[in-house]
Amino acid sequence: MTRKPNPLLTELLDKNIDMPEINWETVPPDVNPADAWNLYDDTVEGWVPVWFPTFGPGGGRSYGEFERAYLFNEDLERILKAMKRWP
């Protein structure tokens, strides 16, 4: 079953926006940033990226689907504001 994407993703996934400049020193080996940019789990409400944390800081408690979507939304708002793409 597919869930609804976060409506703010339309701003982030706009094909007219170039992928941000990459600091290659921070990219783990064997990771393709272009793939990570586009890997969203459409089975999770809000289409949370597959790389988004599933546990609290320091390996704390596990996040549920909706808590993870809420946290992703907060980060997405922060990112869009920094990109000057806030609707």
Side-chain angles (χ1 to χ4, degrees), residues 2-47:
T2 14
R3 305 288 183 115
K4 292 181 182 177
N6 184 320
L8 296 176
L9 282 176
T10 57
E11 287 295 318
L12 193 64
L13 298 178
D14 183 345
K15 296 297 181 198
N16 295 319
I17 300 174
D18 292 328
M19 197 164 106
E21 188 174 325
I22 298 169
N23 179 354
W24 289 101
E25 293 175 4
T26 64
V27 177
D30 302 323
V31 170
N32 180 343
D35 289 344
W37 184 260
N38 294 307
L39 286 175
Y40 293 89
D41 188 349
D42 65 359
T43 64
V44 173
E45 189 66 30
W47 285 23

Side-chain angles (χ1 to χ4, degrees), residues 1-2 11 16 18 25-26 33 35-36 39 43 48 50 52-55 57 59-60 64 68 72-73 79 81 86-87:
M1 166 201 272
T2 14
E11 287 295 318
N16 295 319
D18 292 328
E25 293 175 4
T26 64
D35 289 344
L39 286 175
T43 64
V48 176
V50 295
F52 198 77
T54 56
F55 290 90
R68 206 167 157 236
F72 173 61
N73 184 72
I79 291 165
K81 286 175 184 174
W86 184 245

